[in-house]
CSV table of all heavy atoms in Angstrom, one decimal:
chain,number,residue,atom,x,y,z
A,1,MET,N,44.3,-11.7,41.2
A,1,MET,CA,45.6,-11.6,40.6
A,1,MET,C,45.6,-10.4,39.6
A,1,MET,O,44.8,-10.3,38.7
A,1,MET,CB,46.0,-12.9,39.9
A,1,MET,CG,47.3,-12.9,39.3
A,1,MET,SD,47.7,-14.5,38.5
A,1,MET,CE,48.8,-15.1,39.7
A,2,ALA,N,46.6,-9.5,39.7
A,2,ALA,CA,46.7,-8.4,38.8
A,2,ALA,C,47.3,-8.7,37.5
A,2,ALA,O,48.2,-9.6,37.4
A,2,ALA,CB,47.5,-7.3,39.5
A,3,ALA,N,46.8,-8.1,36.4
A,3,ALA,CA,47.3,-8.3,35.1
A,3,ALA,C,48.6,-7.6,34.9
A,3,ALA,O,48.9,-6.6,35.5
A,3,ALA,CB,46.3,-7.8,34.0
A,4,PRO,N,49.6,-8.2,34.2
A,4,PRO,CA,50.9,-7.6,34.0
A,4,PRO,C,50.7,-6.3,33.2
A,4,PRO,O,49.9,-6.1,32.4
A,4,PRO,CB,51.7,-8.6,33.1
A,4,PRO,CG,50.7,-9.6,32.7
A,4,PRO,CD,49.5,-9.5,33.5
A,5,GLN,N,51.5,-5.3,33.7
A,5,GLN,CA,51.4,-3.9,33.0
A,5,GLN,C,52.3,-3.9,31.8
A,5,GLN,O,53.4,-4.4,31.8
A,5,GLN,CB,51.9,-2.9,34.0
A,5,GLN,CG,51.0,-2.7,35.2
A,5,GLN,CD,51.5,-1.6,36.1
A,5,GLN,OE1,52.6,-1.1,36.0
A,5,GLN,NE2,50.6,-1.3,37.1
A,6,LYS,N,51.7,-3.3,30.8
A,6,LYS,CA,52.5,-3.1,29.5
A,6,LYS,C,53.3,-1.8,29.6
A,6,LYS,O,52.8,-0.8,30.2
A,6,LYS,CB,51.6,-3.1,28.3
A,6,LYS,CG,50.9,-4.4,28.0
A,6,LYS,CD,50.2,-4.4,26.8
A,6,LYS,CE,49.6,-5.7,26.4
A,6,LYS,NZ,48.8,-5.7,25.2
A,7,SER,N,54.4,-1.8,29.0
A,7,SER,CA,55.3,-0.6,29.0
A,7,SER,C,54.7,0.4,28.0
A,7,SER,O,54.2,0.0,27.0
A,7,SER,CB,56.7,-1.0,28.6
A,7,SER,OG,57.5,0.2,28.4
A,8,THR,N,54.7,1.7,28.4
A,8,THR,CA,54.2,2.7,27.5
A,8,THR,C,55.2,3.1,26.4
A,8,THR,O,54.8,3.7,25.4
A,8,THR,CB,53.8,3.9,28.3
A,8,THR,OG1,54.9,4.4,29.1
A,8,THR,CG2,52.6,3.6,29.3
A,9,GLN,N,56.4,2.7,26.6
A,9,GLN,CA,57.4,3.0,25.6
A,9,GLN,C,57.5,1.9,24.6
A,9,GLN,O,57.4,0.7,25.0
A,9,GLN,CB,58.8,3.2,26.3
A,9,GLN,CG,59.1,4.5,26.8
A,9,GLN,CD,60.6,4.6,27.3
A,9,GLN,OE1,61.1,3.6,27.7
A,9,GLN,NE2,61.1,5.8,27.2
A,10,ALA,N,57.8,2.2,23.4
A,10,ALA,CA,58.0,1.2,22.3
A,10,ALA,C,59.3,0.6,22.5
A,10,ALA,O,60.3,1.2,23.0
A,10,ALA,CB,57.9,1.9,21.0
A,11,SER,N,59.4,-0.7,22.2
A,11,SER,CA,60.6,-1.4,22.4
A,11,SER,C,61.7,-0.9,21.4
A,11,SER,O,61.3,-0.6,20.2
A,11,SER,CB,60.4,-2.9,22.1
A,11,SER,OG,61.6,-3.6,22.1
A,12,PRO,N,62.9,-0.8,21.8
A,12,PRO,CA,64.0,-0.4,20.8
A,12,PRO,C,64.3,-1.5,19.8
A,12,PRO,O,65.0,-1.2,18.8
A,12,PRO,CB,65.2,0.0,21.7
A,12,PRO,CG,65.0,-0.9,22.9
A,12,PRO,CD,63.5,-1.0,23.1
A,13,TRP,N,63.9,-2.7,20.1
A,13,TRP,CA,64.2,-3.9,19.2
A,13,TRP,C,63.0,-4.1,18.2
A,13,TRP,O,61.9,-4.1,18.6
A,13,TRP,CB,64.5,-5.1,20.0
A,13,TRP,CG,65.6,-4.9,20.9
A,13,TRP,CD1,65.6,-4.6,22.3
A,13,TRP,CD2,67.0,-4.9,20.6
A,13,TRP,NE1,66.9,-4.5,22.7
A,13,TRP,CE2,67.8,-4.7,21.7
A,13,TRP,CE3,67.7,-5.1,19.4
A,13,TRP,CZ2,69.2,-4.6,21.7
A,13,TRP,CZ3,69.1,-5.1,19.4
A,13,TRP,CH2,69.8,-4.8,20.5
A,14,MET,N,63.4,-4.5,17.0
A,14,MET,CA,62.4,-4.7,16.0
A,14,MET,C,62.7,-6.0,15.2
A,14,MET,O,63.9,-6.3,15.0
A,14,MET,CB,62.3,-3.6,15.0
A,14,MET,CG,62.0,-2.2,15.6
A,14,MET,SD,62.2,-0.9,14.3
A,14,MET,CE,60.5,-0.9,13.8
A,15,THR,N,61.7,-6.8,14.9
A,15,THR,CA,61.9,-7.9,14.0
A,15,THR,C,62.2,-7.4,12.6
A,15,THR,O,62.0,-6.2,12.3
A,15,THR,CB,60.7,-8.8,13.9
A,15,THR,OG1,59.6,-8.1,13.3
A,15,THR,CG2,60.3,-9.3,15.3
A,16,LEU,N,62.7,-8.2,11.7
A,16,LEU,CA,63.0,-7.8,10.3
A,16,LEU,C,61.7,-7.3,9.6
A,16,LEU,O,61.7,-6.3,8.9
A,16,LEU,CB,63.6,-8.9,9.5
A,16,LEU,CG,65.0,-9.4,10.1
A,16,LEU,CD1,65.6,-10.4,9.1
A,16,LEU,CD2,65.9,-8.2,10.4
A,17,GLN,N,60.6,-8.0,9.9
A,17,GLN,CA,59.3,-7.6,9.3
A,17,GLN,C,58.9,-6.2,9.9
A,17,GLN,O,58.4,-5.4,9.1
A,17,GLN,CB,58.2,-8.6,9.7
A,17,GLN,CG,58.4,-9.9,9.0
A,17,GLN,CD,59.4,-10.8,9.7
A,17,GLN,OE1,59.9,-10.6,10.8
A,17,GLN,NE2,59.8,-11.9,9.0
A,18,GLN,N,59.0,-6.0,11.1
A,18,GLN,CA,58.7,-4.7,11.7
A,18,GLN,C,59.6,-3.6,11.2
A,18,GLN,O,59.2,-2.5,10.9
A,18,GLN,CB,58.8,-4.7,13.2
A,18,GLN,CG,57.8,-5.5,13.9
A,18,GLN,CD,58.1,-5.8,15.4
A,18,GLN,OE1,59.2,-5.8,15.8
A,18,GLN,NE2,57.0,-6.0,16.2
A,19,ALA,N,60.9,-3.9,11.0
A,19,ALA,CA,61.8,-2.9,10.5
A,19,ALA,C,61.5,-2.6,9.0
A,19,ALA,O,61.6,-1.4,8.6
A,19,ALA,CB,63.3,-3.5,10.5
A,20,ALA,N,61.1,-3.6,8.2
A,20,ALA,CA,60.7,-3.3,6.8
A,20,ALA,C,59.5,-2.4,6.8
A,20,ALA,O,59.5,-1.5,6.0
A,20,ALA,CB,60.5,-4.6,6.1
A,21,ILE,N,58.5,-2.6,7.6
A,21,ILE,CA,57.3,-1.8,7.6
A,21,ILE,C,57.7,-0.3,8.1
A,21,ILE,O,57.3,0.6,7.5
A,21,ILE,CB,56.3,-2.4,8.5
A,21,ILE,CG1,55.7,-3.6,7.9
A,21,ILE,CG2,55.1,-1.4,8.8
A,21,ILE,CD1,54.8,-4.5,8.8
A,22,TYR,N,58.6,-0.3,9.1
A,22,TYR,CA,59.0,1.0,9.7
A,22,TYR,C,59.7,1.9,8.6
A,22,TYR,O,59.4,3.1,8.6
A,22,TYR,CB,60.0,0.8,10.8
A,22,TYR,CG,60.4,2.0,11.6
A,22,TYR,CD1,59.5,2.7,12.4
A,22,TYR,CD2,61.7,2.4,11.5
A,22,TYR,CE1,59.9,3.8,13.1
A,22,TYR,CE2,62.2,3.5,12.3
A,22,TYR,CZ,61.3,4.2,13.0
A,22,TYR,OH,61.7,5.3,13.7
A,23,VAL,N,60.5,1.3,7.8
A,23,VAL,CA,61.2,2.2,6.7
A,23,VAL,C,60.6,2.0,5.4
A,23,VAL,O,61.2,2.4,4.4
A,23,VAL,CB,62.7,1.9,6.7
A,23,VAL,CG1,63.4,2.3,8.0
A,23,VAL,CG2,63.0,0.4,6.4
A,24,ALA,N,59.4,1.4,5.3
A,24,ALA,CA,58.7,1.2,4.0
A,24,ALA,C,59.5,0.6,2.9
A,24,ALA,O,59.7,1.1,1.8
A,24,ALA,CB,58.1,2.6,3.6
A,25,THR,N,60.0,-0.6,3.2
A,25,THR,CA,60.8,-1.4,2.3
A,25,THR,C,60.4,-2.9,2.5
A,25,THR,O,59.6,-3.2,3.2
A,25,THR,CB,62.3,-1.1,2.4
A,25,THR,OG1,63.0,-1.7,1.3
A,25,THR,CG2,62.9,-1.6,3.7
A,26,SER,N,61.2,-3.7,1.8
A,26,SER,CA,60.9,-5.2,2.0
A,26,SER,C,61.9,-5.8,3.0
A,26,SER,O,62.9,-5.3,3.3
A,26,SER,CB,61.1,-5.9,0.6
A,26,SER,OG,62.4,-5.9,0.2
A,27,VAL,N,61.5,-7.0,3.4
A,27,VAL,CA,62.3,-7.7,4.3
A,27,VAL,C,63.6,-8.1,3.6
A,27,VAL,O,64.7,-8.1,4.2
A,27,VAL,CB,61.6,-9.0,4.9
A,27,VAL,CG1,62.5,-9.9,5.7
A,27,VAL,CG2,60.4,-8.6,5.7
A,28,LYS,N,63.5,-8.4,2.3
A,28,LYS,CA,64.7,-8.7,1.5
A,28,LYS,C,65.7,-7.6,1.5
A,28,LYS,O,66.9,-7.8,1.6
A,28,LYS,CB,64.2,-9.1,0.1
A,28,LYS,CG,65.3,-9.7,-0.7
A,28,LYS,CD,64.7,-10.2,-2.1
A,28,LYS,CE,65.7,-10.9,-2.9
A,28,LYS,NZ,65.1,-11.5,-4.1
A,29,THR,N,65.2,-6.4,1.4
A,29,THR,CA,66.1,-5.2,1.5
A,29,THR,C,66.8,-5.1,2.8
A,29,THR,O,68.0,-4.8,2.9
A,29,THR,CB,65.4,-3.9,1.1
A,29,THR,OG1,64.8,-4.1,-0.2
A,29,THR,CG2,66.3,-2.7,1.2
A,30,ILE,N,66.0,-5.3,3.9
A,30,ILE,CA,66.6,-5.3,5.3
A,30,ILE,C,67.7,-6.3,5.4
A,30,ILE,O,68.8,-6.0,5.9
A,30,ILE,CB,65.5,-5.5,6.3
A,30,ILE,CG1,64.5,-4.4,6.3
A,30,ILE,CG2,66.1,-5.6,7.7
A,30,ILE,CD1,65.0,-3.0,6.6
A,31,ARG,N,67.4,-7.5,4.9
A,31,ARG,CA,68.5,-8.6,4.9
A,31,ARG,C,69.7,-8.2,4.1
A,31,ARG,O,70.8,-8.5,4.5
A,31,ARG,CB,67.9,-9.9,4.4
A,31,ARG,CG,66.9,-10.5,5.3
A,31,ARG,CD,66.5,-11.9,4.9
A,31,ARG,NE,65.5,-12.5,5.7
A,31,ARG,CZ,65.8,-13.1,6.9
A,31,ARG,NH1,67.0,-13.3,7.2
A,31,ARG,NH2,64.8,-13.7,7.6
A,32,ARG,N,69.5,-7.5,3.0
A,32,ARG,CA,70.7,-7.1,2.2
A,32,ARG,C,71.5,-6.0,2.9
A,32,ARG,O,72.7,-6.1,2.8
A,32,ARG,CB,70.2,-6.5,0.8
A,32,ARG,CG,69.7,-7.5,-0.2
A,32,ARG,CD,69.3,-6.8,-1.4
A,32,ARG,NE,68.7,-7.8,-2.4
A,32,ARG,CZ,67.7,-7.5,-3.2
A,32,ARG,NH1,67.2,-6.3,-3.3
A,32,ARG,NH2,67.3,-8.5,-4.0
A,33,LEU,N,70.8,-5.1,3.6
A,33,LEU,CA,71.5,-4.1,4.4
A,33,LEU,C,72.3,-4.7,5.5
A,33,LEU,O,73.5,-4.3,5.8
A,33,LEU,CB,70.5,-3.1,5.0
A,33,LEU,CG,69.9,-2.1,4.0
A,33,LEU,CD1,68.7,-1.4,4.6
A,33,LEU,CD2,70.9,-1.2,3.4
A,34,ILE,N,71.8,-5.8,6.1
A,34,ILE,CA,72.5,-6.5,7.2
A,34,ILE,C,73.7,-7.2,6.6
A,34,ILE,O,74.8,-7.1,7.1
A,34,ILE,CB,71.6,-7.5,7.9
A,34,ILE,CG1,70.5,-6.7,8.7
A,34,ILE,CG2,72.3,-8.4,8.8
A,34,ILE,CD1,69.3,-7.5,9.2
A,35,ALA,N,73.5,-7.9,5.4
A,35,ALA,CA,74.6,-8.7,4.8
A,35,ALA,C,75.7,-7.8,4.3
A,35,ALA,O,76.9,-8.1,4.4
A,35,ALA,CB,74.0,-9.5,3.6
A,36,ALA,N,75.4,-6.5,3.9
A,36,ALA,CA,76.4,-5.6,3.4
A,36,ALA,C,77.1,-4.9,4.6
A,36,ALA,O,78.1,-4.2,4.4
A,36,ALA,CB,75.7,-4.5,2.6
A,37,GLY,N,76.6,-5.1,5.8
A,37,GLY,CA,77.3,-4.5,7.0
A,37,GLY,C,76.8,-3.1,7.2
A,37,GLY,O,77.4,-2.4,8.1
A,38,ASP,N,75.8,-2.6,6.5
A,38,ASP,CA,75.2,-1.3,6.7
A,38,ASP,C,74.3,-1.2,7.9
A,38,ASP,O,74.1,-0.1,8.4
A,38,ASP,CB,74.5,-0.8,5.4
A,38,ASP,CG,75.5,-0.7,4.3
A,38,ASP,OD1,76.7,-0.4,4.5
A,38,ASP,OD2,75.0,-0.9,3.1
A,39,LEU,N,73.7,-2.3,8.3
A,39,LEU,CA,72.7,-2.3,9.4
A,39,LEU,C,73.1,-3.4,10.3
A,39,LEU,O,73.1,-4.6,10.0
A,39,LEU,CB,71.3,-2.6,8.8
A,39,LEU,CG,70.2,-2.6,9.8
A,39,LEU,CD1,70.0,-1.3,10.5
A,39,LEU,CD2,68.9,-3.0,9.1
A,40,PRO,N,73.5,-3.1,11.6
A,40,PRO,CA,73.8,-4.1,12.5
A,40,PRO,C,72.5,-4.9,12.9
A,40,PRO,O,71.5,-4.3,13.0
A,40,PRO,CB,74.3,-3.3,13.8
A,40,PRO,CG,74.4,-1.9,13.3
A,40,PRO,CD,73.7,-1.7,12.1
A,41,ALA,N,72.7,-6.2,13.1
A,41,ALA,CA,71.6,-7.1,13.5
A,41,ALA,C,72.1,-7.9,14.7
A,41,ALA,O,73.3,-8.2,14.8
A,41,ALA,CB,71.2,-8.0,12.4
A,42,TYR,N,71.2,-8.4,15.5
A,42,TYR,CA,71.5,-9.1,16.7
A,42,TYR,C,70.7,-10.4,16.8
A,42,TYR,O,69.5,-10.4,16.5
A,42,TYR,CB,71.3,-8.3,18.0
A,42,TYR,CG,72.0,-7.0,17.9
A,42,TYR,CD1,71.5,-5.8,17.3
A,42,TYR,CD2,73.3,-6.9,18.5
A,42,TYR,CE1,72.2,-4.7,17.2
A,42,TYR,CE2,74.0,-5.6,18.4
A,42,TYR,CZ,73.4,-4.6,17.8
A,42,TYR,OH,74.1,-3.4,17.7
A,43,LEU,N,71.3,-11.5,17.2
A,43,LEU,CA,70.6,-12.7,17.3
A,43,LEU,C,69.8,-12.8,18.6
A,43,LEU,O,70.2,-12.4,19.6
A,43,LEU,CB,71.6,-13.9,17.3
A,43,LEU,CG,72.1,-14.5,16.0
A,43,LEU,CD1,73.1,-15.6,16.2
A,43,LEU,CD2,70.9,-15.0,15.2
A,44,CYS,N,68.6,-13.2,18.4
A,44,CYS,CA,67.7,-13.4,19.6
A,44,CYS,C,67.2,-14.8,19.6
A,44,CYS,O,66.4,-15.3,18.8
A,44,CYS,CB,66.5,-12.4,19.4
A,44,CYS,SG,65.2,-12.6,20.7
A,45,GLY,N,67.9,-15.6,20.4
A,45,GLY,CA,67.7,-17.1,20.4
A,45,GLY,C,68.5,-17.7,19.3
A,45,GLY,O,69.5,-17.2,18.9
A,46,LYS,N,68.0,-18.8,18.8
A,46,LYS,CA,68.8,-19.5,17.7
A,46,LYS,C,68.7,-19.0,16.4
A,46,LYS,O,69.6,-18.9,15.6
A,46,LYS,CB,68.4,-21.0,17.7
A,46,LYS,CG,68.9,-21.8,18.9
A,46,LYS,CD,68.5,-23.2,18.8
A,46,LYS,CE,69.0,-24.0,20.0
A,46,LYS,NZ,68.7,-25.4,20.0
A,47,ARG,N,67.5,-18.5,16.0
A,47,ARG,CA,67.3,-18.0,14.7
A,47,ARG,C,66.7,-16.6,14.5
A,47,ARG,O,66.7,-16.1,13.4
A,47,ARG,CB,66.3,-19.0,14.0
A,47,ARG,CG,66.8,-20.4,13.8
A,47,ARG,CD,65.9,-21.3,13.1
A,47,ARG,NE,65.6,-20.7,11.8
A,47,ARG,CZ,64.7,-21.3,11.0
A,47,ARG,NH1,64.1,-22.4,11.3
A,47,ARG,NH2,64.4,-20.7,9.8
A,48,GLY,N,66.2,-16.0,15.6
A,48,GLY,CA,65.6,-14.7,15.5
A,48,GLY,C,66.6,-13.6,15.4
A,48,GLY,O,67.5,-13.5,16.1
A,49,LEU,N,66.4,-12.8,14.4
A,49,LEU,CA,67.2,-11.6,14.2
A,49,LEU,C,66.4,-10.4,14.6
A,49,LEU,O,65.2,-10.3,14.4
A,49,LEU,CB,67.6,-11.4,12.7
A,49,LEU,CG,68.8,-12.2,12.2
A,49,LEU,CD1,69.0,-12.0,10.7
A,49,LEU,CD2,70.0,-11.9,13.0
A,50,ARG,N,67.1,-9.4,15.3
A,50,ARG,CA,66.5,-8.2,15.7
A,50,ARG,C,67.4,-7.0,15.3
A,50,ARG,O,68.6,-7.2,15.2
A,50,ARG,CB,66.3,-8.1,17.2
A,50,ARG,CG,65.4,-9.2,17.8
A,50,ARG,CD,63.9,-9.0,17.4
A,50,ARG,NE,63.0,-9.9,18.0
A,50,ARG,CZ,62.7,-11.1,17.5
A,50,ARG,NH1,63.1,-11.4,16.4
A,50,ARG,NH2,61.8,-11.8,18.2
A,51,VAL,N,66.8,-5.9,15.0
A,51,VAL,CA,67.6,-4.7,14.7
A,51,VAL,C,67.1,-3.6,15.7
A,51,VAL,O,65.9,-3.7,16.1
A,51,VAL,CB,67.4,-4.2,13.2
A,51,VAL,CG1,68.1,-5.2,12.3
A,51,VAL,CG2,66.0,-4.0,12.9
A,52,ARG,N,67.9,-2.6,15.9
A,52,ARG,CA,67.5,-1.5,16.8
A,52,ARG,C,66.9,-0.4,16.0
A,52,ARG,O,67.4,-0.1,14.9
A,52,ARG,CB,68.7,-1.0,17.6
A,52,ARG,CG,69.3,-2.0,18.6
A,52,ARG,CD,70.3,-1.4,19.5
A,52,ARG,NE,71.1,-0.4,18.7
A,52,ARG,CZ,72.1,0.3,19.3
A,52,ARG,NH1,72.3,0.2,20.6
A,52,ARG,NH2,72.7,1.2,18.6
A,53,ARG,N,65.9,0.2,16.6
A,53,ARG,CA,65.2,1.3,15.9
A,53,ARG,C,66.2,2.5,15.7
A,53,ARG,O,66.1,3.1,14.6
A,53,ARG,CB,64.1,1.8,16.8
A,53,ARG,CG,63.2,2.8,16.2
A,53,ARG,CD,62.0,3.2,17.2
A,53,ARG,NE,61.3,2.1,17.7
A,53,ARG,CZ,60.3,1.5,17.1
A,53,ARG,NH1,59.8,2.0,16.0
A,53,ARG,NH2,59.7,0.4,17.7
A,54,ASP,N,67.1,2.7,16.6
A,54,ASP,CA,68.1,3.8,16.5
A,54,ASP,C,69.0,3.6,15.3
A,54,ASP,O,69.3,4.5,14.5
A,54,ASP,CB,68.9,4.0,17.7
A,54,ASP,CG,68.1,4.6,18.9
A,54,ASP,OD1,67.0,5.2,18.6
A,54,ASP,OD2,68.6,4.4,20.0
A,55,ASP,N,69.4,2.3,15.0
A,55,ASP,CA,70.2,2.0,13.9
A,55,ASP,C,69.5,2.2,12.6
A,55,ASP,O,70.1,2.7,11.6
A,55,ASP,CB,70.7,0.5,14.0
A,55,ASP,CG,71.7,0.3,15.1
A,55,ASP,OD1,72.4,1.2,15.5
A,55,ASP,OD2,71.7,-0.9,15.6
A,56,LEU,N,68.2,1.9,12.5
A,56,LEU,CA,67.4,2.2,11.3
A,56,LEU,C,67.3,3.7,11.1
A,56,LEU,O,67.4,4.2,10.0
A,56,LEU,CB,66.0,1.6,11.5
A,56,LEU,CG,65.9,0.1,11.2
A,56,LEU,CD1,64.5,-0.4,11.6
A,56,LEU,CD2,66.1,-0.2,9.7
A,57,ASP,N,67.0,4.4,12.2
A,57,ASP,CA,66.9,5.9,12.1
A,57,ASP,C,68.2,6.5,11.6
A,57,ASP,O,68.2,7.4,10.7
A,57,ASP,CB,66.5,6.5,13.4
A,57,ASP,CG,65.1,6.2,13.8
A,57,ASP,OD1,64.3,5.9,12.9
A,57,ASP,OD2,64.8,6.3,15.0
A,58,ASN,N,69.4,6.0,12.1
A,58,ASN,CA,70.7,6.6,11.6
A,58,ASN,C,70.9,6.2,10.2
A,58,ASN,O,71.5,7.0,9.4
A,58,ASN,CB,71.8,6.0,12.5
A,58,ASN,CG,71.8,6.6,13.9
A,58,ASN,OD1,71.2,7.7,14.1
A,58,ASN,ND2,72.3,5.9,14.8
A,59,LEU,N,70.5,5.0,9.7
A,59,LEU,CA,70.7,4.6,8.4
A,59,LEU,C,69.9,5.4,7.4
A,59,LEU,O,70.3,5.7,6.3
A,59,LEU,CB,70.4,3.1,8.2
A,59,LEU,CG,70.7,2.5,6.9
A,59,LEU,CD1,72.2,2.5,6.6
A,59,LEU,CD2,70.1,1.1,6.9
A,60,MET,N,68.7,5.7,7.8
A,60,MET,CA,67.7,6.4,6.9
A,60,MET,C,67.7,7.9,7.1
A,60,MET,O,66.7,8.6,7.0
A,60,MET,CB,66.3,5.8,7.1
A,60,MET,CG,66.2,4.4,6.9
A,60,MET,SD,66.6,4.1,5.1
A,60,MET,CE,66.6,2.3,5.1
A,61,ARG,N,68.8,8.5,7.4
A,61,ARG,CA,68.9,10.0,7.5
A,61,ARG,C,68.7,10.7,6.2
A,61,ARG,O,69.2,10.2,5.2
A,61,ARG,CB,70.3,10.4,8.1
A,61,ARG,CG,70.4,10.4,9.6
A,61,ARG,CD,71.7,10.9,10.0
A,61,ARG,NE,72.6,9.8,10.0
A,61,ARG,CZ,73.9,9.8,10.2
A,61,ARG,NH1,74.5,10.9,10.2
A,61,ARG,NH2,74.6,8.7,10.3
A,62,PRO,N,68.1,11.9,6.2
A,62,PRO,CA,67.9,12.6,5.0
A,62,PRO,C,69.3,13.1,4.5
A,62,PRO,O,70.2,13.4,5.3
A,62,PRO,CB,67.0,13.8,5.3
A,62,PRO,CG,67.0,13.8,6.8
A,62,PRO,CD,67.4,12.5,7.3
A,63,LEU,N,69.4,13.3,3.2
A,63,LEU,CA,70.7,13.8,2.6
A,63,LEU,C,70.8,15.3,2.8
A,63,LEU,O,69.8,16.0,2.7
A,63,LEU,CB,70.8,13.4,1.2
A,63,LEU,CG,70.9,12.0,0.9
A,63,LEU,CD1,70.9,11.7,-0.6
A,63,LEU,CD2,72.2,11.4,1.5
C-alpha cells in the first residue's frame, strides 16, 4: 500500500496560532483583528477558526 503524498504547496488556511507566528504577534491580537472586522475568519467545524494567508499578507502591507 502506497503512502499518501503530501502537497508541496503550503496550505492557504492557517489556525490562529499559526497566523500569530506568521506575523510575529499574539493569538490575542489576531482575535482582536477578527473582532474588529479587519481580518476575515472562517469557521472550520464547530469551533475551529481559520484565516487565509493572503488576508494576513494584505493586512500587514508596508506603509
Side-chain angles (χ1 to χ4, degrees):
M1 182 180 253
Q5 294 180 350
K6 290 186 178 181
S7 175
T8 57
Q9 275 187 331
S11 173
W13 299 101
M14 303 174 89
T15 65
L16 299 187
Q17 292 80 12
Q18 291 170 332
I21 292 168
Y22 184 69
V23 295
T25 190
S26 69
V27 173
K28 193 171 185 176
T29 299
I30 298 294
R31 288 187 182 278
R32 285 181 186 147
L33 290 168
I34 293 168
D38 296 328
L39 180 63
Y42 304 87
L43 277 176
C44 177
K46 290 185 180 182
R47 296 183 55 182
L49 280 176
R50 299 289 186 269
V51 294
R52 290 186 330 172
R53 187 179 311 270
D54 289 342
D55 291 334
L56 281 170
D57 289 339
N58 289 337
L59 184 65
M60 299 298 171
R61 272 187 270 170
L63 296 176

